[in-house]
Amino acid sequence: MNTRDQEIRIIDTDDVGSNHSGNPHIQDMIEARMSRRTVLSGTTAVAATGFFGGSLLASSGAQAGGLSGGEYCAGPVLGFAEVPASSADTLVVPEGYTAQIFAPWGTPLLPGAPAFAEDASNSAADQALQVGFNHDGMHYFPLPLFGNHRGLLVVNHEYTDANIIYSAAQGGTITPDDAGKEKVAKALAGHGVSVMAVSKKFDGSWELVKKDPRNRRITGTTPMAFSGPVSASHPMLQSSITAKPLGTLNNCAHGVTPWGTYLACEENWNGYFGTDDTTWVASRTPLEARYGVSAAGFGYNWHKAEPRFDLAQNRNELNHFGWVVEIDPYNPKSQPVKRTALGRIKHEGATCTESKGRVVVYSGDDENGDYLYKFVGNAPWRKLRLQGKSPLDHGTLYVAKFHADGSGEWLPLVHGVGALTMENGWADQADVLIRTRMAADALGATRLHRPEWVAVHPHTKDVFVTLTNGSGNNAPVNSGRDPNPYGHIVRFHDADNSDTTFSWDIFLLAGDPAYDANVPATQPVFGSPDGIWVDDSGLVWIQTDISNSSQNLASRGYDNIGNNAMLAANPDTGEVRRFLTGPRGCEITGVSMTPDQRTMFVNVQHPGESTTFWNNQFGAPTTANPSSVSSWPFGGRPRPATVVIRKLDGGKIGS
Ligand code: FEO
Ligand code: CA
Ligand code: CA
Ligand code: CA
């Protein structure tokens, strides 16, 4: 191991796993398959198309099903000029494209909302009427008749940053008093989801339709319903503070159901809870440990002002989180519903597709060493809805087990099946779902390096999963490409998306060939793939989320890669091009298009967040100096925002 490798071996704090099951790890299987690979020059087209590309490409073509060869054989087109890697504090799109800053944090959305206050003096009540913070997963729902020009843009707001959302006078610390309560309330109001009516103007730019009755904020205090095997009346869901479950938190990626609802997913919810009661640690349950719940949490300290988030005072509150939340964007009066049949994990996303008329939902559990899940409806979704049932309440949840030979199987998380019996201590299906991670441990699921988004190719139905990176802190330590600081994208297909077997391959290895010879030199350097989506033309869009403890740092092998970026890949050829680069300290996440593919929406999350590389030069951001790392987009306080991207000639994005 050279010095550089040793330096890269530093463990990211956001990368600490809680899976000590000893289940097999996919990295070991990848190493085994890579060592058998005959073509490994790193510079050839064969390497760029994936290690075992031929057989998978052939089989995915064969299952294209609904499309004739002629319709899809033209394939996707990478028609834009690549943008270079960038460390500048700006957003760059290819020549011939335009990017409009849209609905940044604090934009007035609901009636009575005040203007955004540049000094962050907006109150919690103000924030509840404004667009939330840290835009993440997103979908554009076209409205009838003029869907390319009018729609509902639904955006997740993953978390808040105390250095940026509070004023210098307030400071960033949560104190155990009314001032602390107000600050927690502002953070809660900055979380959740925004539903925004949007329309395209004659000049091609987009605007928020301020008076549309469908505009809505869902926050960390919005009342929530529960449905499926775990009901709100379950003993483990009884709060000692609130009469009913409230709020959704850490909404990372998302899903869109075939019936036109939005799924917001609860990812790093464990970080919000904490306690100063030292007796809690001694009583921490295996369930709490397995979900990474700790007395310190992620250091947000909400519990100091708000007992709802105090582990010792309100032990069951955390069981309200870790679910997929269904939201009907068209009905502002509808109550969001936590769909418990999809399991309780750190849901990155909930990517839906359809198979034999049934809904299929893929979801990664984004923690180092955790698993990939799939839910399959037990009847066609149209039939279930005609019977007044939710297709997300009636089906089977599976977890993925990969085999080293490139095959794999989906193991059912069903009470009474396999290891999940009464004799083994599993009370019922609700128990299996509240303890989803432990049930998957018991079945021998395959550990992964932080599974993030999942994308399903709309025509071939191939599935792409980003494994963002891993520090290799879970024993047994993996061989070869370990730690895995750059991540990779796994591609697999079920013969049918509802089947219980699949085959898998590595679609792309992320990274920089200067540090890792396995990465093709023909490929643009990028790291930590997170967002992924396949557009209707078949282009694979890849968005990166290099952690701010690694971004731009030579000691982490990230100096050539620059700021986070978005790339596009042709899945038929393996060609990749960098499409967009973001400002400093941000990640690029969330992508959606109008049906005509002529407008693309992309999110810039956490610009200006504390970033080791930039902190070393300019100082860490504070409430007194929030702009030390970035002043994107308007030259002042950094503000997460959507960007609306169009081609100046009005053409399709990417073409
Ligand atoms: Fe919120 Fe796993 O990214
Ligand atoms: Ca993500
Ligand atoms: Ca992130
Ligand atoms: Ca991420």
Side-chain angles (χ1 to χ4, degrees):
M1 183 189 298
N2 61 36
T3 314
R4 213 157 229 178
D5 287 338
Q6 282 170 334
E7 284 168 345
I8 294 172
R9 192 173 278 275
I10 298 163
I11 291 171
D12 275 338
T13 50
D14 56 356
D15 211 12
V16 177
S18 59
N19 184 349
H20 303 290
S21 66
N23 282 352
H25 199 295
I26 194 174
Q27 195 65 18
D28 299 321
M29 302 176 201
I30 290 171
E31 301 306 338
R33 292 183 73 183
M34 279 175 69
S35 67
R36 286 201 300 273
R37 188 160 61 121
T38 50
V39 180
L40 193 64
S41 71
T43 56
T44 68
V46 176
T49 56
F51 295 149
F52 318 98
S55 60
L56 259 188
L57 286 173
S59 54
S60 46
Q63 65 152 52
L67 280 185
S68 74
E71 279 172 274
Y72 186 58
C73 71
V77 177
L78 280 172
F80 60 89
E82 176 163 292
V83 303
S86 167
S87 301
D89 189 30
T90 186
L91 182 118
V92 180
V93 291
E95 202 180 322
Y97 283 78
T98 177
Q100 173 194 355
I101 311 299
F102 193 83
W105 161 56
T107 299
L109 177 64
L110 300 179
F116 174 72
E118 176 64 25
D119 64 357
S121 60
N122 284 129
S123 67
D126 296 346
Q127 175 65 81
L129 303 173
Q130 298 170 330
V131 172
F133 198 81
N134 268 354
H135 304 35
D136 203 325
M138 164 174 61
H139 187 71
Y140 173 88
F141 291 85
L143 287 170
L145 298 179
F146 304 102
N148 294 314
H149 297 257
R150 293 190 326 135
L152 300 176
L153 190 65
V154 186
V155 177
N156 284 347
H157 301 292
E158 191 180 26
Y159 63 96
T160 53
D161 182 336
N163 296 316
I164 296 173
I165 69 163
Y166 303 129
S167 68
Q170 285 178 299
T173 308
I174 303 295
T175 45
D177 53 20
D178 284 348
K181 261 191 180 319
E182 160 69 14
K183 284 160 78 173
V184 174
K186 184 171 184 183
L188 285 165
H191 280 69
V193 177
S194 292
V195 180
M196 300 179 277
V198 298
S199 79
K200 191 178 187 179
K201 297 197 285 189
F202 285 117
D203 67 1
S205 66
W206 285 73
E207 66 181 349
L208 193 58
V209 184
K210 288 250 170 83
K211 293 203 170 136
D212 195 290
R214 289 164 291 204
N215 290 338
R216 185 176 188 190
R217 283 301 322 282
I218 291 156
T219 72
T221 55
T222 303
M224 296 279 146
F226 273 70
S227 193
V230 183
S231 69
S233 61
H234 192 284
M236 286 188 68
L237 267 61
Q238 301 318 300
S239 166
S240 56
I241 306 279
T242 60
K244 296 213 164 127
L246 298 181
T248 183
L249 292 171
N250 216 267
N251 302 107
C252 191
H254 70 295
V256 183
T257 65
W259 51 97
T261 57
Y262 183 83
L263 303 177
C265 301
E266 298 179 335
E267 191 194 13
N268 286 306
W269 49 270
N270 57 321
Y272 298 100
F273 296 90
T275 187
D276 297 330
D277 182 338
T278 50
T279 62
W280 179 83
V281 175
S283 69
R284 187 166 82 148
T285 65
L287 176 63
E288 289 162 340
R290 185 64 182 84
Y291 282 86
V293 179
S294 69
F298 288 177
Y300 298 144
N301 288 325
W302 288 6
H303 67 275
K304 289 184 186 295
E306 189 50 79
R308 184 182 158 205
F309 295 97
D310 189 308
L311 291 164
Q313 293 188 53
N314 190 21
R315 192 141 200 166
N316 288 338
E317 181 72 18
L318 50 83
N319 296 323
H320 292 158
F321 297 94
W323 306 105
V324 170
V325 188
E326 186 177 19
I327 295 164
D328 180 356
Y330 298 99
N331 179 1
K333 300 262 187 290
S334 60
Q335 186 172 31
V337 184
K338 299 204 176 184
R339 295 291 177 193
T340 60
L342 276 65
R344 177 168 171 265
I345 56 174
K346 293 188 185 182
H347 281 284
E348 173 75 20
T351 304
C352 300
T353 189
E354 205 176 312
S355 170
K356 300 182 181 128
R358 296 186 277 177
V359 67
V360 177
V361 189
Y362 294 93
S363 187
D365 185 352
D366 179 11
E367 192 176 278
N368 202 12
D370 259 290
Y371 307 129
L372 179 71
Y373 296 82
K374 174 173 93 167
F375 173 88
V376 180
N378 65 8
W381 65 263
R382 287 182 179 83
K383 185 174 165 193
L384 288 166
R385 281 174 62 84
L386 278 173
Q387 294 169 352
K389 297 174 178 170
S390 167
L392 298 176
D393 288 349
H394 300 275
T396 303
L397 185 66
Y398 299 88
V399 66
K401 184 180 175 79
F402 293 71
H403 298 299
D405 65 358
S407 65
E409 57 193 300
W410 290 105
L411 309 172
L413 290 148
V414 175
H415 183 251
V417 176
L420 308 177
T421 58
M422 291 279 270
E423 301 74 59
N424 288 340
W426 298 94
D428 52 22
Q429 185 62 17
D431 186 23
V432 168
L433 293 167
I434 290 172
R435 297 193 286 152
T436 301
R437 280 183 165 184
M438 297 166 89
D441 291 344
L443 295 183
T446 302
R447 292 183 300 146
L448 304 169
H449 274 157
R450 298 188 54 196
E452 300 248 31
W453 288 43
V454 178
V456 180
H457 192 299
H459 307 308
T460 68
K461 297 292 185 179
D462 279 354
V463 178
F464 298 84
V465 185
T466 50
L467 302 183
T468 197
N469 60 55
S471 300
N473 67 326
N474 286 330
V477 171
N478 308 304
S479 56
R481 202 173 191 245
D482 168 55
N484 172 12
Y486 300 115
H488 38 249
I489 300 171
V490 172
R491 171 179 51 189
F492 62 97
H493 64 273
D494 307 351
D496 186 295
N497 295 109
S498 59
D499 275 5
T500 54
T501 57
F502 61 89
S503 59
W504 65 277
D505 187 11
I506 299 296
F507 173 56
L508 289 176
L509 282 181
D512 178 350
Y515 291 92
D516 184 345
N518 292 313
V519 178
T522 49
Q523 183 177 294
V525 292
F526 72 103
S528 301
D530 184 341
I532 190 163
W533 176 65
V534 188
D535 73 24
D536 202 48
S537 78
L539 271 186
V540 183
W541 295 92
I542 301 160
Q543 302 175 308
T544 72
D545 179 19
I546 307 157
S547 96
N548 287 338
S549 55
S550 297
Q551 223 178 118
N552 309 90
L553 274 173
S555 60
R556 299 294 185 98
Y558 265 106
D559 47 335
N560 300 323
I561 289 176
N563 300 345
N564 276 307
M566 182 159 90
L567 307 97
N570 181 333
D572 299 342
T573 65
E575 186 187 356
V576 188
R577 283 189 204 175
R578 192 184 298 100
F579 178 79
L580 171 156
T581 54
R584 292 174 181 165
C586 83
E587 76 171 271
I588 303 297
T589 183
V591 52
S592 191
M593 282 186 194
T594 51
D596 65 6
Q597 296 182 265
R598 289 164 205 277
T599 300
M600 172 186 259
F601 303 90
V602 172
N603 285 327
V604 175
Q605 190 187 120
H606 60 74
E609 190 174 73
S610 176
T611 304
T612 306
F613 180 82
W614 300 113
N615 291 358
N616 289 343
Q617 297 183 50
F618 306 123
T622 63
T623 53
N625 183 18
S627 309
S628 64
V629 167
S630 171
S631 57
W632 190 89
F634 302 129
R637 182 175 297 270
R639 294 170 71 182
T642 300
V643 287
V644 184
I645 297 168
R646 289 177 297 117
K647 237 177 144 172
L648 291 170
D649 67 5
K652 290 189 177 182
I653 307 296
S655 66

